[in-house]
Every structure is written in C-alpha cells, then in structure tokens.
C-alpha cells in the first residue's frame, strides 16, 4: 500500500505529539502546518504559556482519565532518561481547605483533591500528609511524585524528534480546514488525511467552527526564585476564577506562579493587580520562595497570559469526513494538554489507522 500523506494542523503539544507518534509508524508522510511554531509567543498559541505538569483533574472511569493515565509513562521516561527534553521529576503537594467546598476551583480539582484518586496507583509515592504537618487553614493534603515540563525546551525537542523521523514543517494560515488539502500543499502529493490539532482556533476554523471551545484565561508570573516542590491549593480567597499554584521548571526554566481560570476571557495583557494577588498567594503558600519575606523579594523574569482551549464535553478525538477528506480531530484539552498529550495522540493515531485500513479496503 502506498504511503499516506498526512497534514497535521497545529504545532502545539497536541499536534507535535501526534506527529511524533505517527512518525514512528511506517507508511505515512507527515507535514505539520501551523500559523504558530515553537519559539513564538502569541495569545492564540497556548502551549508555550503552560506550566506545565502532571496533576490530573480528570474523573475516574472517563476517557480523559485513560488518556492521562497513558501519558504518565512517557513523561516519566523522559524525566528519567532524556534530560534534553526539559522534563524533570518534582514532588507535588495538593492542599485542601474545607471552606473551598463547592467553589469553582474545588469542583475543577475534585479528583485531584480526593484522598484516593485514580492516579494514586499511577504516580510514585502517593500518600496523605499528617494533619499536624499542615499550615494553618489547610484541612488535608496529599503528596506524590510528579513531573514539571520546561515548555521552552520541550516543544523544540518535540520538533527535533519529528524532524529526525522525516516530518516536515511549514508555516500556514488556514481559513477552512480543506485548505490543507489544496494541490501541491503537501510536498509528497495529494493529502489523504488531515489531523486537526488547532486548539482554541478550532472555534474559528472553517469546516469545524466548534462553538463549544472557549478560552479559559490563565495569568502567571515567572520568577527566578526556586520552589523546593510543586504546590497547589483547592481555592483562593480572591474569587472563583483565581487559583494558586507553584512549580519550578526543569533546566533553569524559572518558577511558575499562578494563576487564574477566567473562562470566556480573550484578554491577552497581564493584569497588574491580579499579578500582585498571585505573588502574595504564592509566597504565603510557599514561604521558601523568599525565605519568609514578602513579594518584593521575588525576582521576576516576566509576566504571561495564556488561553487554555476548553471544550464543553472535553477533548474531541473523533474522525469526520469534510470536503471528501478524512479529518481526525484532537483538540480541546483545556488545561490538560500536556498531561494527556500522549494518550490523546495515541487515540488520534488509532483513528488514523482505522481510516487508513478502511481506505486500503476500497
């Protein structure tokens, strides 16, 4: 059977991971086409702004939980054996306050806050922390070994692995998804399959225009101060659309202080008042950042804003015929893009192979 020509639209973590896993299989000529590539910083391009880490919030028994579960192994392998990928192990503590019950953050984190979540059997060293060891106001906490990803290293690493496997890359801006199938666009001829990894832009891409995909704005502060462990808490006293988390990226990537979860907001510019609240919460939760001193002792690298591609009903991994061509969708992971990336990519590839098998029988 002749090789199938595949165009992957989107060069975020979903598109790059899908292209990489597919490139390890024979019979595919892969082109990654995207408006934004690693190294770019744009409000439409979510992946560079992410923390990123492995703190599953998917509910037990769902497809999302299976995708998260399938992703832990590859990320742990990178942390253990491939330092050039910019992934490292970091101890993680999840703090829970009873007064947050019913809040937006507590509901979002419900599985993460559970004393016995499904991922307790996946990640190493999962345990509940003794109440007497907790800070005032914290009612319970769990701890486990997680990973933190330096996205400035990891995204280019994914590109390098794709290139080594023969994947080609091209800048492109599509108004309609079938534009990716136009004559001579793919270097090896007519396009057989399009993989849609457009994230938030799936809401605007012609032929898709998924109105259930909306931004969930996240604001962060990146500092040079180092945190000894990854921390997050079930809520804040500043409102339901704000959150508190701290994580130190691998290989000198700085420490991420977050954050917010402002659903429906497209605002690209950092809010200085929110930044102050973020820093105050981080220093209170993690005093070691400044050795017990105030936010004026934080050494700021930059402020950032990213838009999580949140889809009602969760990540879309489906096949669909559009304009006579098979399209495989993989978008809408929200804040779980990295921690579900390998599971989602494999699910998309299963559909690609299903379609390829169908075409072979015609």
């Amino acid at each position: 059977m002749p090789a199938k020509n595949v165009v992957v639209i989107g060069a975020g973590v979903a598109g790059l991971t899908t292209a990489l896993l597919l490139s390890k299989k024979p019979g595919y000529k892969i082109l990654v086409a995207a408006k934004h590539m690693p190294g770019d910083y744009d409000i439409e391009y979510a992946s560079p702004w992410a923390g990123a880490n492995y703190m599953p919030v998917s509910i037990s028994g769902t497809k999302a939980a299976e995708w998260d579960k399938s992703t832990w192994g590859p990320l742990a392998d990178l942390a253990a054996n491939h330092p050039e990928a910019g992934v490292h192990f970091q101890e993680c503590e999840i703090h829970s306050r009873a007064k947050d019950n019913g809040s937006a953050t507590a509901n979002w984190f419900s599985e993460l806050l559970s004393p016995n979540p499904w991922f307790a059997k996946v990640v190493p060293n999962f345990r509940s922390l003794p109440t007497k060891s907790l800070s005032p106001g914290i009612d319970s906490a769990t701890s486990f070994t997680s990973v933190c990803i330096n996205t400035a290293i990891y995204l280019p690493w994914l590109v390098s692995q794709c290139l080594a496997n023969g994947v080609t890359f091209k800048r492109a801006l599509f108004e309609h998804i079938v534009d990716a199938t136009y004559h001579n666009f793919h270097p090896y001829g007519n396009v057989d399959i399009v993989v849609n990894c457009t994230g938030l832009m799936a809401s605007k891409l012609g032929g898709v225009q998924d109105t259930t995909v909306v931004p969930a704005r996240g604001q962060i502060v990146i500092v040079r101060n180092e945190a000894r462990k990854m921390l997050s808490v079930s809520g804040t006293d500043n409102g339901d659309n704000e959150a508190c988390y701290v994580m130190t990226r691998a290989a000198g990537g700085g420490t991420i202080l977050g954050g917010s979860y402002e659903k429906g907001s497209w605002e690209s510019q950092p809010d200085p008042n929110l930044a102050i609240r973020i820093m105050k919460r981080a220093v209170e939760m993690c005093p070691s950042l400044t050795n017990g001193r105030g936010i004026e002792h934080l050494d700021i690298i930059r402020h950032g804003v990213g838009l999580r591609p949140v889809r009602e009903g969760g990540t879309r991994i489906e096949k669909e015929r559009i304009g006579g061509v098979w399209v495989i969708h993989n978008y809408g992971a929200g804040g779980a893009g990295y921690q579900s990336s390998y599971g989602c990519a494999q699910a998309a590839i299963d559909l690609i192979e299903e379609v390829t098998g169908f075409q072979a029988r015609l």
Side-chain angles (χ1 to χ4, degrees):
M1 185 175 68
K4 297 295 183 181
N5 296 330
V6 179
V7 175
V8 178
I9 306 178
V13 67
L16 294 176
T17 309
T18 304
L20 176 57
L21 295 190
L22 186 61
S23 71
K24 296 179 180 181
K25 294 181 174 293
Y28 298 98
K29 300 291 186 180
I30 305 161
L31 167 67
V32 175
K35 179 181 179 181
H36 304 293
M37 293 285 182
D40 297 357
Y41 285 90
D42 190 280
I43 197 60
E44 296 176 352
Y45 187 37
S47 289
W49 302 106
N53 61 19
Y54 190 87
M55 294 197 318
V57 296
S58 51
I59 302 302
S60 176
T62 63
K63 287 184 178 179
E66 288 303 311
W67 296 330
D68 287 356
K69 182 178 180 181
S70 298
T71 300
W72 171 255
L75 291 180
D77 176 66
L78 292 177
N81 301 308
H82 300 278
E84 70 278 9
V87 183
H88 72 160
F89 291 114
Q90 192 171 31
E91 292 305 303
C92 177
E93 287 186 9
I94 307 299
H95 295 172
S96 182
R97 310 186 307 177
K99 67 179 182 179
D100 294 328
N101 290 344
S103 71
T105 301
N107 290 339
W108 176 29
F109 282 4
S110 60
E111 188 75 17
L112 187 62
L113 296 169
S114 169
N116 188 31
W118 63 262
F119 61 85
K121 298 179 180 179
V122 176
V123 296
N125 305 317
F126 185 92
R127 63 199 183 279
S128 295
L129 298 179
T131 304
K132 64 182 180 181
S133 70
L134 305 179
S135 302
I138 304 301
D139 297 291
S140 62
T142 57
S143 178
F144 56 93
T145 301
S146 183
V147 294
C148 189
I149 302 166
N150 185 342
T151 60
I153 295 175
Y154 183 61
L155 292 173
W157 179 84
L158 287 173
V159 172
S160 71
Q161 299 302 297
C162 286
L163 289 170
N165 289 351
V167 177
T168 55
F169 287 79
K170 181 186 289 190
R171 294 270 186 175
L173 176 60
F174 303 110
E175 292 186 2
H176 195 285
I177 197 165
V178 299
D179 293 351
T181 68
Y182 284 171
H183 185 62
N184 292 331
F185 182 75
H186 196 291
Y188 293 98
N190 293 333
V191 173
D192 299 295
I193 299 169
V194 176
V195 185
N196 173 25
C197 298
T198 53
L200 187 58
M201 292 301 102
S203 63
K204 299 182 177 182
L205 180 63
V208 181
Q209 293 177 312
D210 189 340
T211 58
T212 69
V213 180
V214 298
R217 181 181 183 273
Q219 182 168 322
I220 57 173
V221 183
I222 307 177
V223 299
R224 293 180 177 87
N225 310 63
E226 189 170 347
R228 298 188 185 99
K229 51 194 166 187
M230 191 183 306
L231 295 166
S232 188
V233 67
S234 58
T236 76
D237 297 325
N238 301 123
D240 271 4
N241 63 356
E242 297 190 25
C244 184
Y245 50 86
V246 173
M247 68 192 82
T248 296
R249 285 175 166 173
T255 297
I256 306 294
L257 313 180
S260 65
Y261 195 88
E262 302 166 75
K263 201 169 181 180
S265 174
W266 289 82
E267 177 55 56
S268 63
Q269 298 305 304
D271 175 349
N273 293 319
L274 174 55
I276 290 172
R277 294 196 297 273
I278 287 171
M279 290 187 286
K280 285 182 174 179
R281 291 193 296 258
V283 167
E284 181 180 354
M285 182 176 66
C286 185
S288 64
L289 280 169
T290 59
N291 294 319
R293 297 178 290 179
I295 66 172
E296 64 272 14
H297 294 279
L298 290 170
D299 189 356
I300 298 171
I301 300 171
R302 67 177 180 272
H303 299 268
V305 174
L307 303 180
R308 305 172 184 90
V310 175
R311 181 175 180 269
E312 183 180 339
T315 308
R316 184 186 184 191
I317 301 181
E318 296 175 351
K319 65 180 188 295
E320 181 182 12
R321 292 281 286 186
I322 301 177
V325 175
W326 278 109
V327 174
I328 308 299
H329 299 287
N330 177 11
Y331 67 85
Y338 283 85
Q339 67 190 24
S340 67
S341 56
Y342 285 87
C344 289
Q346 186 56 57
I349 288 168
D350 290 344
L351 292 180
I352 292 171
E353 295 196 305
E354 180 182 315
V355 165
T356 302
F358 173 77
Q359 291 175 329
R361 294 192 297 271
L362 292 180

